[in-house]
mmCIF file of all heavy atoms in Angstrom:
data_model
loop_
_atom_site.group_PDB
_atom_site.id
_atom_site.type_symbol
_atom_site.label_atom_id
_atom_site.label_comp_id
_atom_site.label_asym_id
_atom_site.label_seq_id
_atom_site.Cartn_x
_atom_site.Cartn_y
_atom_site.Cartn_z
ATOM 1 N N THR A 1 -2.743 3.998 3.454
ATOM 2 C CA THR A 1 -2.750 5.344 4.031
ATOM 3 C C THR A 1 -1.802 5.428 5.216
ATOM 4 O O THR A 1 -1.195 6.465 5.449
ATOM 5 C CB THR A 1 -4.162 5.744 4.479
ATOM 6 O OG1 THR A 1 -4.606 4.846 5.510
ATOM 7 C CG2 THR A 1 -5.138 5.718 3.311
ATOM 8 N N HIS A 2 -1.707 4.344 5.978
ATOM 9 C CA HIS A 2 -0.725 4.203 7.048
ATOM 10 C C HIS A 2 -0.774 2.746 7.490
ATOM 11 O O HIS A 2 -1.607 1.978 7.007
ATOM 12 C CB HIS A 2 -0.967 5.175 8.203
ATOM 13 C CG HIS A 2 -2.283 5.038 8.913
ATOM 14 N ND1 HIS A 2 -3.494 5.255 8.290
ATOM 15 C CD2 HIS A 2 -2.588 4.705 10.199
ATOM 16 C CE1 HIS A 2 -4.480 5.082 9.157
ATOM 17 N NE2 HIS A 2 -3.953 4.733 10.320
ATOM 18 N N GLN A 3 0.093 2.368 8.413
ATOM 19 C CA GLN A 3 0.252 0.948 8.702
ATOM 20 C C GLN A 3 -0.180 0.552 10.107
ATOM 21 O O GLN A 3 0.358 -0.399 10.692
ATOM 22 C CB GLN A 3 1.690 0.514 8.413
ATOM 23 C CG GLN A 3 2.049 0.663 6.943
ATOM 24 C CD GLN A 3 3.400 0.089 6.587
ATOM 25 O OE1 GLN A 3 3.782 -0.989 7.056
ATOM 26 N NE2 GLN A 3 4.146 0.803 5.743
ATOM 27 N N HIS A 4 -1.196 1.209 10.667
ATOM 28 C CA HIS A 4 -1.815 0.710 11.893
ATOM 29 C C HIS A 4 -2.506 -0.618 11.584
ATOM 30 O O HIS A 4 -2.970 -0.852 10.458
ATOM 31 C CB HIS A 4 -2.822 1.720 12.439
ATOM 32 C CG HIS A 4 -2.183 2.897 13.103
ATOM 33 N ND1 HIS A 4 -2.896 4.014 13.511
ATOM 34 C CD2 HIS A 4 -0.888 3.144 13.450
ATOM 35 C CE1 HIS A 4 -2.074 4.879 14.067
ATOM 36 N NE2 HIS A 4 -0.855 4.381 14.041
ATOM 37 N N GLY A 5 -2.598 -1.478 12.580
ATOM 38 C CA GLY A 5 -3.092 -2.830 12.365
ATOM 39 C C GLY A 5 -4.468 -2.922 11.737
ATOM 40 O O GLY A 5 -4.716 -3.811 10.911
ATOM 41 N N ASP A 6 -5.367 -2.019 12.101
ATOM 42 C CA ASP A 6 -6.725 -2.089 11.559
ATOM 43 C C ASP A 6 -6.769 -1.720 10.079
ATOM 44 O O ASP A 6 -7.789 -1.920 9.412
ATOM 45 C CB ASP A 6 -7.695 -1.214 12.355
ATOM 46 C CG ASP A 6 -7.266 0.246 12.448
ATOM 47 O OD1 ASP A 6 -6.060 0.500 12.648
ATOM 48 O OD2 ASP A 6 -8.130 1.136 12.343
ATOM 49 N N HIS A 7 -5.665 -1.232 9.539
ATOM 50 C CA HIS A 7 -5.583 -0.864 8.123
ATOM 51 C C HIS A 7 -4.794 -1.877 7.287
ATOM 52 O O HIS A 7 -4.944 -1.892 6.067
ATOM 53 C CB HIS A 7 -4.954 0.523 7.964
ATOM 54 C CG HIS A 7 -5.815 1.628 8.475
ATOM 55 N ND1 HIS A 7 -6.507 2.481 7.634
ATOM 56 C CD2 HIS A 7 -6.119 2.009 9.747
ATOM 57 C CE1 HIS A 7 -7.196 3.354 8.378
ATOM 58 N NE2 HIS A 7 -6.966 3.070 9.647
ATOM 59 N N VAL A 8 -3.968 -2.703 7.936
ATOM 60 C CA VAL A 8 -3.085 -3.596 7.158
ATOM 61 C C VAL A 8 -3.154 -5.063 7.569
ATOM 62 O O VAL A 8 -2.478 -5.894 6.969
ATOM 63 C CB VAL A 8 -1.612 -3.131 7.240
ATOM 64 C CG1 VAL A 8 -1.456 -1.729 6.682
ATOM 65 C CG2 VAL A 8 -1.082 -3.220 8.666
ATOM 66 N N GLU A 9 -3.973 -5.403 8.550
ATOM 67 C CA GLU A 9 -3.960 -6.780 9.062
ATOM 68 C C GLU A 9 -4.203 -7.817 7.966
ATOM 69 O O GLU A 9 -3.596 -8.886 7.959
ATOM 70 C CB GLU A 9 -5.006 -6.938 10.166
ATOM 71 C CG GLU A 9 -5.001 -8.298 10.830
ATOM 72 C CD GLU A 9 -5.985 -8.389 11.981
ATOM 73 O OE1 GLU A 9 -5.966 -7.492 12.848
ATOM 74 O OE2 GLU A 9 -6.781 -9.347 11.988
ATOM 75 N N GLN A 10 -5.085 -7.520 7.027
ATOM 76 C CA GLN A 10 -5.419 -8.484 5.976
ATOM 77 C C GLN A 10 -4.651 -8.255 4.673
ATOM 78 O O GLN A 10 -5.008 -8.823 3.639
ATOM 79 C CB GLN A 10 -6.926 -8.434 5.700
ATOM 80 C CG GLN A 10 -7.769 -8.932 6.854
ATOM 81 C CD GLN A 10 -7.491 -10.390 7.198
ATOM 82 O OE1 GLN A 10 -7.322 -11.220 6.305
ATOM 83 N NE2 GLN A 10 -7.416 -10.694 8.482
ATOM 84 N N LEU A 11 -3.589 -7.468 4.738
ATOM 85 C CA LEU A 11 -2.848 -7.170 3.512
ATOM 86 C C LEU A 11 -2.292 -8.433 2.853
ATOM 87 O O LEU A 11 -2.411 -8.610 1.640
ATOM 88 C CB LEU A 11 -1.716 -6.181 3.805
ATOM 89 C CG LEU A 11 -0.860 -5.766 2.609
ATOM 90 C CD1 LEU A 11 -1.704 -5.091 1.533
ATOM 91 C CD2 LEU A 11 0.268 -4.835 3.054
ATOM 92 N N ASP A 12 -1.684 -9.323 3.633
ATOM 93 C CA ASP A 12 -1.128 -10.539 3.055
ATOM 94 C C ASP A 12 -2.222 -11.374 2.391
ATOM 95 O O ASP A 12 -2.014 -11.930 1.302
ATOM 96 C CB ASP A 12 -0.422 -11.365 4.131
ATOM 97 C CG ASP A 12 0.948 -10.810 4.493
ATOM 98 O OD1 ASP A 12 1.512 -10.051 3.682
ATOM 99 O OD2 ASP A 12 1.438 -11.130 5.587
ATOM 100 N N SER A 13 -3.381 -11.482 3.027
ATOM 101 C CA SER A 13 -4.475 -12.270 2.452
ATOM 102 C C SER A 13 -4.934 -11.683 1.126
ATOM 103 O O SER A 13 -5.188 -12.420 0.158
ATOM 104 C CB SER A 13 -5.656 -12.324 3.431
ATOM 105 O OG SER A 13 -5.303 -13.015 4.602
ATOM 106 N N VAL A 14 -5.020 -10.367 1.059
ATOM 107 C CA VAL A 14 -5.428 -9.714 -0.185
ATOM 108 C C VAL A 14 -4.395 -9.953 -1.274
ATOM 109 O O VAL A 14 -4.727 -10.310 -2.414
ATOM 110 C CB VAL A 14 -5.644 -8.204 0.048
ATOM 111 C CG1 VAL A 14 -5.819 -7.475 -1.287
ATOM 112 C CG2 VAL A 14 -6.849 -7.967 0.938
ATOM 113 N N LEU A 15 -3.120 -9.779 -0.946
ATOM 114 C CA LEU A 15 -2.069 -9.922 -1.953
ATOM 115 C C LEU A 15 -1.896 -11.367 -2.405
ATOM 116 O O LEU A 15 -1.575 -11.622 -3.562
ATOM 117 C CB LEU A 15 -0.749 -9.387 -1.399
ATOM 118 C CG LEU A 15 -0.719 -7.887 -1.091
ATOM 119 C CD1 LEU A 15 0.615 -7.511 -0.473
ATOM 120 C CD2 LEU A 15 -0.991 -7.057 -2.335
ATOM 121 N N ASP A 16 -2.113 -12.306 -1.488
ATOM 122 C CA ASP A 16 -1.988 -13.717 -1.861
ATOM 123 C C ASP A 16 -3.125 -14.144 -2.783
ATOM 124 O O ASP A 16 -2.977 -15.084 -3.573
ATOM 125 C CB ASP A 16 -1.976 -14.600 -0.607
ATOM 126 C CG ASP A 16 -0.692 -14.430 0.202
ATOM 127 O OD1 ASP A 16 0.280 -13.872 -0.338
ATOM 128 O OD2 ASP A 16 -0.686 -14.835 1.385
ATOM 129 N N SER A 17 -4.255 -13.458 -2.687
ATOM 130 C CA SER A 17 -5.412 -13.780 -3.515
ATOM 131 C C SER A 17 -5.455 -12.979 -4.808
ATOM 132 O O SER A 17 -5.866 -13.489 -5.852
ATOM 133 C CB SER A 17 -6.701 -13.534 -2.726
ATOM 134 O OG SER A 17 -7.842 -13.762 -3.506
ATOM 135 N N LEU A 18 -5.016 -11.746 -4.732
ATOM 136 C CA LEU A 18 -5.069 -10.841 -5.882
ATOM 137 C C LEU A 18 -3.684 -10.225 -6.067
ATOM 138 O O LEU A 18 -3.199 -9.491 -5.209
ATOM 139 C CB LEU A 18 -6.102 -9.740 -5.640
ATOM 140 C CG LEU A 18 -7.551 -10.218 -5.539
ATOM 141 C CD1 LEU A 18 -8.266 -9.514 -4.410
ATOM 142 C CD2 LEU A 18 -8.271 -9.953 -6.854
ATOM 143 N N ASP A 19 -3.049 -10.531 -7.146
ATOM 144 C CA ASP A 19 -1.677 -10.088 -7.391
ATOM 145 C C ASP A 19 -1.669 -8.592 -7.702
ATOM 146 O O ASP A 19 -2.014 -8.177 -8.805
ATOM 147 C CB ASP A 19 -1.088 -10.877 -8.555
ATOM 148 C CG ASP A 19 0.370 -10.551 -8.776
ATOM 149 O OD1 ASP A 19 1.017 -10.062 -7.830
ATOM 150 O OD2 ASP A 19 0.864 -10.765 -9.894
ATOM 151 N N ALA A 20 -1.322 -7.789 -6.711
ATOM 152 C CA ALA A 20 -1.317 -6.335 -6.875
ATOM 153 C C ALA A 20 -0.049 -5.760 -6.277
ATOM 154 O O ALA A 20 0.553 -6.342 -5.365
ATOM 155 C CB ALA A 20 -2.542 -5.729 -6.185
ATOM 156 N N GLU A 21 0.369 -4.605 -6.786
ATOM 157 C CA GLU A 21 1.522 -3.936 -6.189
ATOM 158 C C GLU A 21 1.068 -3.139 -4.969
ATOM 159 O O GLU A 21 -0.102 -2.768 -4.847
ATOM 160 C CB GLU A 21 2.226 -3.034 -7.200
ATOM 161 C CG GLU A 21 1.435 -1.836 -7.669
ATOM 162 C CD GLU A 21 2.293 -0.894 -8.501
ATOM 163 O OE1 GLU A 21 3.520 -1.093 -8.578
ATOM 164 O OE2 GLU A 21 1.732 0.058 -9.062
ATOM 165 N N VAL A 22 1.991 -2.906 -4.060
ATOM 166 C CA VAL A 22 1.704 -2.173 -2.826
ATOM 167 C C VAL A 22 2.440 -0.852 -2.848
ATOM 168 O O VAL A 22 3.653 -0.801 -3.091
ATOM 169 C CB VAL A 22 2.114 -2.990 -1.581
ATOM 170 C CG1 VAL A 22 1.894 -2.176 -0.315
ATOM 171 C CG2 VAL A 22 1.334 -4.293 -1.519
ATOM 172 N N LEU A 23 1.689 0.213 -2.596
ATOM 173 C CA LEU A 23 2.253 1.560 -2.521
ATOM 174 C C LEU A 23 2.073 2.055 -1.092
ATOM 175 O O LEU A 23 0.976 1.971 -0.532
ATOM 176 C CB LEU A 23 1.547 2.511 -3.486
ATOM 177 C CG LEU A 23 1.839 2.387 -4.986
ATOM 178 C CD1 LEU A 23 1.345 1.070 -5.548
ATOM 179 C CD2 LEU A 23 1.198 3.544 -5.736
ATOM 180 N N ALA A 24 3.132 2.574 -0.494
ATOM 181 C CA ALA A 24 3.066 3.039 0.885
ATOM 182 C C ALA A 24 4.153 4.068 1.136
ATOM 183 O O ALA A 24 5.166 4.109 0.433
ATOM 184 C CB ALA A 24 3.223 1.866 1.855
ATOM 185 N N TYR A 25 3.944 4.878 2.160
ATOM 186 C CA TYR A 25 4.925 5.895 2.546
ATOM 187 C C TYR A 25 6.117 5.240 3.248
ATOM 188 O O TYR A 25 7.265 5.458 2.876
ATOM 189 C CB TYR A 25 4.250 6.920 3.471
ATOM 190 C CG TYR A 25 5.123 8.088 3.866
ATOM 191 C CD1 TYR A 25 5.183 9.225 3.067
ATOM 192 C CD2 TYR A 25 5.865 8.067 5.046
ATOM 193 C CE1 TYR A 25 5.977 10.313 3.428
ATOM 194 C CE2 TYR A 25 6.655 9.148 5.413
ATOM 195 C CZ TYR A 25 6.711 10.268 4.607
ATOM 196 O OH TYR A 25 7.498 11.344 4.967
ATOM 197 N N ASP A 26 5.842 4.438 4.277
ATOM 198 C CA ASP A 26 6.910 3.763 5.011
ATOM 199 C C ASP A 26 7.219 2.410 4.395
ATOM 200 O O ASP A 26 6.416 1.835 3.652
ATOM 201 C CB ASP A 26 6.498 3.569 6.474
ATOM 202 C CG ASP A 26 6.955 4.716 7.363
ATOM 203 O OD1 ASP A 26 7.616 5.647 6.857
ATOM 204 O OD2 ASP A 26 6.639 4.695 8.577
ATOM 205 N N ASP A 27 8.367 1.889 4.745
ATOM 206 C CA ASP A 27 8.774 0.585 4.254
ATOM 207 C C ASP A 27 7.824 -0.495 4.758
ATOM 208 O O ASP A 27 7.241 -0.381 5.843
ATOM 209 C CB ASP A 27 10.198 0.286 4.711
ATOM 210 C CG ASP A 27 10.805 -0.895 3.972
ATOM 211 O OD1 ASP A 27 10.326 -1.205 2.861
ATOM 212 O OD2 ASP A 27 11.736 -1.514 4.514
ATOM 213 N N HIS A 28 7.647 -1.520 3.964
ATOM 214 C CA HIS A 28 6.845 -2.694 4.312
ATOM 215 C C HIS A 28 7.419 -3.857 3.512
ATOM 216 O O HIS A 28 7.855 -3.665 2.373
ATOM 217 C CB HIS A 28 5.366 -2.460 3.954
ATOM 218 C CG HIS A 28 4.473 -3.580 4.402
ATOM 219 N ND1 HIS A 28 4.333 -4.757 3.689
ATOM 220 C CD2 HIS A 28 3.675 -3.700 5.494
ATOM 221 C CE1 HIS A 28 3.495 -5.557 4.334
ATOM 222 N NE2 HIS A 28 3.081 -4.937 5.421
ATOM 223 N N PRO A 29 7.440 -5.071 4.094
ATOM 224 C CA PRO A 29 8.031 -6.199 3.373
ATOM 225 C C PRO A 29 7.441 -6.433 1.982
ATOM 226 O O PRO A 29 8.117 -6.980 1.105
ATOM 227 C CB PRO A 29 7.735 -7.390 4.294
ATOM 228 C CG PRO A 29 7.620 -6.801 5.659
ATOM 229 C CD PRO A 29 7.010 -5.445 5.456
ATOM 230 N N ARG A 30 6.207 -5.997 1.765
ATOM 231 C CA ARG A 30 5.576 -6.252 0.471
ATOM 232 C C ARG A 30 5.358 -4.972 -0.340
ATOM 233 O O ARG A 30 4.639 -4.986 -1.338
ATOM 234 C CB ARG A 30 4.266 -7.018 0.675
ATOM 235 C CG ARG A 30 4.504 -8.343 1.409
ATOM 236 C CD ARG A 30 3.329 -9.259 1.402
ATOM 237 N NE ARG A 30 3.116 -9.858 0.087
ATOM 238 C CZ ARG A 30 2.302 -10.904 -0.120
ATOM 239 N NH1 ARG A 30 1.677 -11.470 0.918
ATOM 240 N NH2 ARG A 30 2.131 -11.396 -1.329
ATOM 241 N N ARG A 31 5.996 -3.912 0.099
ATOM 242 C CA ARG A 31 5.875 -2.664 -0.660
ATOM 243 C C ARG A 31 6.657 -2.747 -1.961
ATOM 244 O O ARG A 31 7.808 -3.157 -1.976
ATOM 245 C CB ARG A 31 6.398 -1.485 0.174
ATOM 246 C CG ARG A 31 6.200 -0.128 -0.518
ATOM 247 C CD ARG A 31 6.741 1.021 0.318
ATOM 248 N NE ARG A 31 8.203 1.067 0.284
ATOM 249 C CZ ARG A 31 8.933 2.039 0.832
ATOM 250 N NH1 ARG A 31 8.340 3.041 1.461
ATOM 251 N NH2 ARG A 31 10.253 1.997 0.769
ATOM 252 N N ASN A 32 6.020 -2.332 -3.060
ATOM 253 C CA ASN A 32 6.682 -2.270 -4.363
ATOM 254 C C ASN A 32 7.155 -0.871 -4.715
ATOM 255 O O ASN A 32 8.118 -0.702 -5.449
ATOM 256 C CB ASN A 32 5.734 -2.754 -5.468
ATOM 257 C CG ASN A 32 5.230 -4.160 -5.239
ATOM 258 O OD1 ASN A 32 4.119 -4.343 -4.773
ATOM 259 N ND2 ASN A 32 6.050 -5.155 -5.543
ATOM 260 N N ARG A 33 6.435 0.108 -4.198
ATOM 261 C CA ARG A 33 6.756 1.490 -4.566
ATOM 262 C C ARG A 33 6.492 2.423 -3.397
ATOM 263 O O ARG A 33 5.454 2.335 -2.741
ATOM 264 C CB ARG A 33 5.935 1.912 -5.784
ATOM 265 C CG ARG A 33 6.222 3.331 -6.272
ATOM 266 C CD ARG A 33 5.905 3.489 -7.758
ATOM 267 N NE ARG A 33 4.551 3.120 -8.128
ATOM 268 C CZ ARG A 33 3.581 4.012 -8.322
ATOM 269 N NH1 ARG A 33 3.811 5.302 -8.143
ATOM 270 N NH2 ARG A 33 2.385 3.606 -8.702
ATOM 271 N N ALA A 34 7.415 3.307 -3.141
ATOM 272 C CA ALA A 34 7.238 4.298 -2.077
ATOM 273 C C ALA A 34 6.427 5.480 -2.603
ATOM 274 O O ALA A 34 6.570 5.881 -3.759
ATOM 275 C CB ALA A 34 8.591 4.783 -1.580
ATOM 276 N N ILE A 35 5.575 6.006 -1.757
ATOM 277 C CA ILE A 35 4.836 7.226 -2.075
ATOM 278 C C ILE A 35 5.367 8.330 -1.179
ATOM 279 O O ILE A 35 5.451 8.164 0.045
ATOM 280 C CB ILE A 35 3.322 7.079 -1.815
ATOM 281 C CG1 ILE A 35 2.751 5.840 -2.489
ATOM 282 C CG2 ILE A 35 2.585 8.322 -2.302
ATOM 283 C CD1 ILE A 35 1.291 5.617 -2.160
ATOM 284 N N GLU A 36 5.700 9.448 -1.777
ATOM 285 C CA GLU A 36 6.158 10.600 -1.015
ATOM 286 C C GLU A 36 5.151 11.742 -1.137
ATOM 287 O O GLU A 36 4.292 11.744 -2.030
ATOM 288 C CB GLU A 36 7.529 11.048 -1.519
ATOM 289 C CG GLU A 36 8.608 9.990 -1.345
ATOM 290 C CD GLU A 36 9.964 10.473 -1.807
ATOM 291 O OE1 GLU A 36 10.055 11.613 -2.325
ATOM 292 O OE2 GLU A 36 10.936 9.712 -1.659
ATOM 293 N N ASP A 37 5.268 12.695 -0.241
ATOM 294 C CA ASP A 37 4.391 13.860 -0.287
ATOM 295 C C ASP A 37 4.482 14.531 -1.652
ATOM 296 O O ASP A 37 5.575 14.775 -2.165
ATOM 297 C CB ASP A 37 4.802 14.855 0.811
ATOM 298 C CG ASP A 37 3.921 16.078 0.833
ATOM 299 O OD1 ASP A 37 2.779 15.978 1.310
ATOM 300 O OD2 ASP A 37 4.372 17.144 0.351
ATOM 301 N N GLY A 38 3.318 14.780 -2.238
ATOM 302 C CA GLY A 38 3.282 15.429 -3.543
ATOM 303 C C GLY A 38 3.223 14.499 -4.724
ATOM 304 O O GLY A 38 2.988 14.948 -5.852
ATOM 305 N N ASP A 39 3.437 13.194 -4.502
ATOM 306 C CA ASP A 39 3.345 12.237 -5.602
ATOM 307 C C ASP A 39 1.918 12.159 -6.130
ATOM 308 O O ASP A 39 0.953 12.369 -5.385
ATOM 309 C CB ASP A 39 3.788 10.846 -5.147
ATOM 310 C CG ASP A 39 5.295 10.707 -5.029
ATOM 311 O OD1 ASP A 39 6.003 11.662 -5.406
ATOM 312 O OD2 ASP A 39 5.759 9.656 -4.548
ATOM 313 N N ILE A 40 1.785 11.834 -7.399
ATOM 314 C CA ILE A 40 0.476 11.666 -8.024
ATOM 315 C C ILE A 40 0.218 10.171 -8.218
ATOM 316 O O ILE A 40 1.060 9.452 -8.761
ATOM 317 C CB ILE A 40 0.402 12.392 -9.381
ATOM 318 C CG1 ILE A 40 0.698 13.888 -9.190
ATOM 319 C CG2 ILE A 40 -0.968 12.180 -10.023
ATOM 320 C CD1 ILE A 40 -0.254 14.614 -8.263
ATOM 321 N N VAL A 41 -0.949 9.732 -7.762
ATOM 322 C CA VAL A 41 -1.330 8.325 -7.829
ATOM 323 C C VAL A 41 -2.675 8.217 -8.553
ATOM 324 O O VAL A 41 -3.611 8.945 -8.230
ATOM 325 C CB VAL A 41 -1.451 7.715 -6.414
ATOM 326 C CG1 VAL A 41 -1.845 6.246 -6.488
ATOM 327 C CG2 VAL A 41 -0.148 7.886 -5.638
ATOM 328 N N THR A 42 -2.760 7.314 -9.525
ATOM 329 C CA THR A 42 -4.028 7.065 -10.212
ATOM 330 C C THR A 42 -4.866 6.114 -9.383
ATOM 331 O O THR A 42 -4.441 4.992 -9.083
ATOM 332 C CB THR A 42 -3.806 6.484 -11.615
ATOM 333 O OG1 THR A 42 -3.013 7.378 -12.380
ATOM 334 C CG2 THR A 42 -5.140 6.259 -12.319
ATOM 335 N N ILE A 43 -6.060 6.568 -9.003
ATOM 336 C CA ILE A 43 -7.008 5.757 -8.239
ATOM 337 C C ILE A 43 -8.334 5.815 -8.980
ATOM 338 O O ILE A 43 -8.904 6.898 -9.141
ATOM 339 C CB ILE A 43 -7.170 6.275 -6.803
ATOM 340 C CG1 ILE A 43 -5.824 6.258 -6.061
ATOM 341 C CG2 ILE A 43 -8.214 5.460 -6.048
ATOM 342 C CD1 ILE A 43 -5.865 6.908 -4.691
ATOM 343 N N GLY A 44 -8.799 4.662 -9.457
ATOM 344 C CA GLY A 44 -10.015 4.663 -10.255
ATOM 345 C C GLY A 44 -9.793 5.415 -11.550
ATOM 346 O O GLY A 44 -8.894 5.079 -12.324
ATOM 347 N N ASP A 45 -10.576 6.452 -11.762
ATOM 348 C CA ASP A 45 -10.484 7.250 -12.986
ATOM 349 C C ASP A 45 -9.807 8.597 -12.767
ATOM 350 O O ASP A 45 -9.792 9.430 -13.670
ATOM 351 C CB ASP A 45 -11.887 7.514 -13.559
ATOM 352 C CG ASP A 45 -12.589 6.236 -13.960
ATOM 353 O OD1 ASP A 45 -11.913 5.326 -14.460
ATOM 354 O OD2 ASP A 45 -13.812 6.151 -13.750
ATOM 355 N N GLU A 46 -9.281 8.848 -11.576
ATOM 356 C CA GLU A 46 -8.787 10.185 -11.266
ATOM 357 C C GLU A 46 -7.343 10.160 -10.788
ATOM 358 O O GLU A 46 -6.844 9.142 -10.296
ATOM 359 C CB GLU A 46 -9.679 10.846 -10.207
ATOM 360 C CG GLU A 46 -11.127 11.030 -10.660
ATOM 361 C CD GLU A 46 -11.975 11.779 -9.638
ATOM 362 O OE1 GLU A 46 -11.414 12.551 -8.837
ATOM 363 O OE2 GLU A 46 -13.200 11.583 -9.653
#
């Protein structure tokens, strides 16, 4: 949702344990895909 420390501090630990792509608005060393305003993202069943 954003990259304040309380939201991303454990990102590396999660990615090292579970191989997942990273979606974010701003650049990040481990971002795979940028999300822009208006983009549609599948989360769960919706």
